[in-house]
Amino acid sequence: MWNVLLSFSGLVALIQLLFLPFFPESPPYLLLQKEDKAGCLKAMKQLWGEGNYHTEFDDLMKEKAITKGMKIMNVLEVLRERSVYPQLCTVLLLLLSLQLCGLKIFRTANLQESIIPYVSLGVSISELIAIIFCSSIIDRFGRRMLLCGGYLLMALILVLLETSLLLSDQFLWLRYCSVILIFLFIIAYGIGP
């Protein structure tokens, strides 16, 4: 019944995708990244209702003043920073341990047992690629666009994955398509949600 569980996560993603356009952007994002003061106040009113949000707005302005002189680091600069090595090691260990999670799906796809560890390693590498790619484009596109795009891609990939798993007994090449779709699902999840 794992395919029902996997489909359920796709249903939740679809529901979130339907409601996401009705929510405003994050007030800190609007003020700190886009420098849109009016949009920030409008988003605060949409999120919290009518009221006086000058205290929160002033706090955001102070944060903006504090971070104004700071340089935003890109991925390579973060990787070179020694102070974040413990956190990076923790994330890498987590990603490497996640390679054991997809074994059931790969067995259901009737892959040879000898290649399943390599495919699982490919899943971990896909996660790492998605994290690095997302961290480099999130400031350019914003969270909302990445969420919408990620959920749309995930929904499409889940439909294709379910179809390929159902037909994998009839068409042997669909087994490998299932693996590729799992990689794509992980990348879409890492870039979006």
Side-chain angles (χ1 to χ4, degrees), residues 37-144:
K37 293 179 184 180
C40 175
L41 288 171
K42 182 181 175 188
M44 286 178 172
K45 288 180 183 176
Q46 277 184 291
L47 289 170
W48 302 323
E50 291 297 324
N52 188 357
Y53 303 110
H54 289 295
T55 306
E56 291 85 359
F57 187 76
D58 290 339
D59 289 342
L60 288 174
M61 289 300 287
K62 288 177 189 173
E63 183 179 344
K64 182 178 179 182
I66 290 171
T67 59
K68 187 174 185 177
M70 293 183 176
K71 181 184 179 251
I72 296 175
M73 298 170 66
N74 64 28
V75 177
L76 292 176
E77 291 171 338
V78 171
L79 292 175
R80 290 184 193 130
E81 182 65 36
R82 288 194 173 278
S83 63
V84 297
Y85 281 177
Q87 295 88 341
L88 286 174
C89 288
T90 304
V91 169
L92 286 175
L93 284 174
L94 178 64
L95 288 173
L96 291 175
S97 67
L98 285 175
Q99 69 178 335
L100 302 173
C101 295
L103 297 178
K104 175 68 175 172
I105 293 174
F106 300 138
R107 286 193 180 115
T108 303
N110 295 321
L111 292 176
Q112 296 173 358
E113 287 287 327
S114 61
I115 66 167
I116 288 178
Y118 299 108
V119 175
S120 295
L121 182 61
V123 168
S124 296
I125 292 170
S126 297
E127 290 174 24
L128 185 62
I129 290 169
I131 290 168
I132 291 171
F133 187 65
C134 178
S135 64
S136 64
I137 65 168
I138 195 166
D139 289 332
R140 185 175 310 150
F141 294 105
R143 288 188 172 102
R144 174 179 281 199

Side-chain angles (χ1 to χ4, degrees), residues 5-18 155 158:
L5 184 62
L6 189 64
S7 299
F8 180 74
S9 65
L11 178 66
V12 172
L14 184 62
I15 291 169
Q16 289 178 349
L17 180 65
L18 292 175
L158 283 175

Side-chain angles (χ1 to χ4, degrees), residues 109 163-164 166-178:
T163 305
S164 70
L166 289 173
L167 298 175
S168 65
D169 289 336
Q170 296 171 357
F171 304 101
L172 295 178
W173 59 271
L174 280 177
R175 295 176 184 177
Y176 299 101
C177 287
S178 299

Side-chain angles (χ1 to χ4, degrees), residues 153-186:
L153 280 172
M154 286 168 56
L156 176 66
I157 291 168
L158 283 175
V159 168
L160 294 173
L161 179 62
E162 184 68 24
T163 305
S164 70
L165 287 173
L166 289 173
L167 298 175
S168 65
D169 289 336
Q170 296 171 357
F171 304 101
L172 295 178
W173 59 271
L174 280 177
R175 295 176 184 177
Y176 299 101
C177 287
S178 299
V179 172
I180 293 168
L181 288 169
I182 290 169
F183 287 174
L184 292 175
F185 179 83
I186 290 167

